[in-house]
PDB file of all heavy atoms in Angstrom:
ATOM      1  N   LEU A 136     104.078  82.929 107.278  1.00 96.00           N
ATOM      2  CA  LEU A 136     102.796  83.579 107.008  1.00 96.00           C
ATOM      3  C   LEU A 136     102.813  85.083 107.280  1.00 96.00           C
ATOM      4  O   LEU A 136     102.378  85.888 106.445  1.00 96.00           O
ATOM      5  CB  LEU A 136     101.680  82.915 107.819  1.00 96.00           C
ATOM      6  CG  LEU A 136     101.274  81.519 107.345  1.00 96.00           C
ATOM      7  CD1 LEU A 136     100.206  80.948 108.292  1.00 96.00           C
ATOM      8  CD2 LEU A 136     100.769  81.536 105.919  1.00 96.00           C
ATOM      9  N   LEU A 137     103.311  85.470 108.440  1.00 96.00           N
ATOM     10  CA  LEU A 137     103.303  86.886 108.816  1.00 96.00           C
ATOM     11  C   LEU A 137     104.209  87.725 107.894  1.00 96.00           C
ATOM     12  O   LEU A 137     103.773  88.770 107.409  1.00 96.00           O
ATOM     13  CB  LEU A 137     103.688  87.050 110.274  1.00 96.00           C
ATOM     14  CG  LEU A 137     103.592  88.476 110.837  1.00 96.00           C
ATOM     15  CD1 LEU A 137     102.192  89.021 110.673  1.00 96.00           C
ATOM     16  CD2 LEU A 137     104.000  88.514 112.295  1.00 96.00           C
ATOM     17  N   PRO A 138     105.455  87.293 107.641  1.00 96.00           N
ATOM     18  CA  PRO A 138     106.290  88.061 106.703  1.00 96.00           C
ATOM     19  C   PRO A 138     105.666  88.154 105.309  1.00 96.00           C
ATOM     20  O   PRO A 138     105.718  89.202 104.679  1.00 96.00           O
ATOM     21  CB  PRO A 138     107.602  87.278 106.660  1.00 96.00           C
ATOM     22  CG  PRO A 138     107.646  86.565 107.961  1.00 96.00           C
ATOM     23  CD  PRO A 138     106.236  86.203 108.276  1.00 96.00           C
ATOM     24  N   ALA A 139     105.054  87.067 104.842  1.00 95.00           N
ATOM     25  CA  ALA A 139     104.425  87.089 103.519  1.00 95.00           C
ATOM     26  C   ALA A 139     103.268  88.074 103.475  1.00 95.00           C
ATOM     27  O   ALA A 139     103.123  88.844 102.517  1.00 95.00           O
ATOM     28  CB  ALA A 139     103.936  85.682 103.159  1.00 95.00           C
ATOM     29  N   ALA A 140     102.440  88.055 104.521  1.00 94.00           N
ATOM     30  CA  ALA A 140     101.300  88.988 104.565  1.00 94.00           C
ATOM     31  C   ALA A 140     101.788  90.431 104.588  1.00 94.00           C
ATOM     32  O   ALA A 140     101.225  91.311 103.876  1.00 94.00           O
ATOM     33  CB  ALA A 140     100.443  88.704 105.802  1.00 94.00           C
ATOM     34  N   ALA A 141     102.832  90.717 105.365  1.00 94.00           N
ATOM     35  CA  ALA A 141     103.363  92.082 105.410  1.00 94.00           C
ATOM     36  C   ALA A 141     103.941  92.518 104.079  1.00 94.00           C
ATOM     37  O   ALA A 141     103.731  93.652 103.642  1.00 94.00           O
ATOM     38  CB  ALA A 141     104.436  92.172 106.511  1.00 94.00           C
ATOM     39  N   LEU A 142     104.633  91.618 103.425  1.00 94.00           N
ATOM     40  CA  LEU A 142     105.226  91.932 102.125  1.00 94.00           C
ATOM     41  C   LEU A 142     104.161  92.240 101.073  1.00 94.00           C
ATOM     42  O   LEU A 142     104.217  93.246 100.377  1.00 94.00           O
ATOM     43  CB  LEU A 142     106.115  90.772 101.666  1.00 94.00           C
ATOM     44  CG  LEU A 142     107.493  90.663 102.317  1.00 94.00           C
ATOM     45  CD1 LEU A 142     108.135  89.337 101.931  1.00 94.00           C
ATOM     46  CD2 LEU A 142     108.371  91.810 101.911  1.00 94.00           C
ATOM     47  N   PHE A 143     103.177  91.378 100.977  1.00 92.00           N
ATOM     48  CA  PHE A 143     102.149  91.576  99.949  1.00 92.00           C
ATOM     49  C   PHE A 143     101.294  92.801 100.219  1.00 92.00           C
ATOM     50  O   PHE A 143     100.911  93.515  99.298  1.00 92.00           O
ATOM     51  CB  PHE A 143     101.265  90.327  99.822  1.00 92.00           C
ATOM     52  CG  PHE A 143     101.913  89.227  99.020  1.00 92.00           C
ATOM     53  CD1 PHE A 143     102.392  88.098  99.623  1.00 92.00           C
ATOM     54  CD2 PHE A 143     102.035  89.347  97.640  1.00 92.00           C
ATOM     55  CE1 PHE A 143     103.018  87.089  98.883  1.00 92.00           C
ATOM     56  CE2 PHE A 143     102.633  88.369  96.893  1.00 92.00           C
ATOM     57  CZ  PHE A 143     103.138  87.227  97.509  1.00 92.00           C
ATOM     58  N   TYR A 144     101.025  93.093 101.483  1.00 91.00           N
ATOM     59  CA  TYR A 144     100.274  94.308 101.820  1.00 91.00           C
ATOM     60  C   TYR A 144     101.041  95.542 101.383  1.00 91.00           C
ATOM     61  O   TYR A 144     100.465  96.474 100.819  1.00 91.00           O
ATOM     62  CB  TYR A 144     100.012  94.333 103.328  1.00 91.00           C
ATOM     63  CG  TYR A 144      99.362  95.614 103.782  1.00 91.00           C
ATOM     64  CD1 TYR A 144      97.993  95.824 103.602  1.00 91.00           C
ATOM     65  CD2 TYR A 144     100.115  96.627 104.401  1.00 91.00           C
ATOM     66  CE1 TYR A 144      97.393  97.007 104.028  1.00 91.00           C
ATOM     67  CE2 TYR A 144      99.517  97.813 104.812  1.00 91.00           C
ATOM     68  CZ  TYR A 144      98.169  97.998 104.624  1.00 91.00           C
ATOM     69  OH  TYR A 144      97.565  99.167 105.023  1.00 91.00           O
ATOM     70  N   SER A 145     102.341  95.548 101.649  1.00 90.00           N
ATOM     71  CA  SER A 145     103.158  96.693 101.281  1.00 90.00           C
ATOM     72  C   SER A 145     103.361  96.809  99.760  1.00 90.00           C
ATOM     73  O   SER A 145     103.306  97.886  99.202  1.00 90.00           O
ATOM     74  CB  SER A 145     104.515  96.605 102.008  1.00 90.00           C
ATOM     75  OG  SER A 145     105.325  97.699 101.703  1.00 90.00           O
ATOM     76  N   MET A 146     103.583  95.661  99.135  1.00 89.00           N
ATOM     77  CA  MET A 146     103.891  95.661  97.681  1.00 89.00           C
ATOM     78  C   MET A 146     102.679  96.040  96.841  1.00 89.00           C
ATOM     79  O   MET A 146     102.836  96.622  95.766  1.00 89.00           O
ATOM     80  CB  MET A 146     104.401  94.294  97.284  1.00 89.00           C
ATOM     81  CG  MET A 146     105.759  93.953  97.857  1.00 89.00           C
ATOM     82  SD  MET A 146     106.232  92.226  97.621  1.00 89.00           S
ATOM     83  CE  MET A 146     106.499  92.193  95.861  1.00 89.00           C
ATOM     84  N   ARG A 147     101.473  95.725  97.285  1.00 84.00           N
ATOM     85  CA  ARG A 147     100.283  96.064  96.518  1.00 84.00           C
ATOM     86  C   ARG A 147     100.090  97.556  96.374  1.00 84.00           C
ATOM     87  O   ARG A 147      99.453  98.038  95.428  1.00 84.00           O
ATOM     88  CB  ARG A 147      99.036  95.452  97.188  1.00 84.00           C
ATOM     89  CG  ARG A 147      98.855  93.975  96.921  1.00 84.00           C
ATOM     90  CD  ARG A 147      97.671  93.443  97.699  1.00 84.00           C
ATOM     91  NE  ARG A 147      96.430  94.068  97.259  1.00 84.00           N
ATOM     92  CZ  ARG A 147      95.637  93.569  96.275  1.00 84.00           C
ATOM     93  NH1 ARG A 147      95.998  92.444  95.662  1.00 84.00           N
ATOM     94  NH2 ARG A 147      94.539  94.174  95.938  1.00 84.00           N
TER      95      ARG A 147
END
Side-chain angles (χ1 to χ4, degrees):
L136 288 178
L137 185 58
L142 283 170
F143 280 107
Y144 174 78
S145 181
M146 292 169 70
R147 281 176 64 91

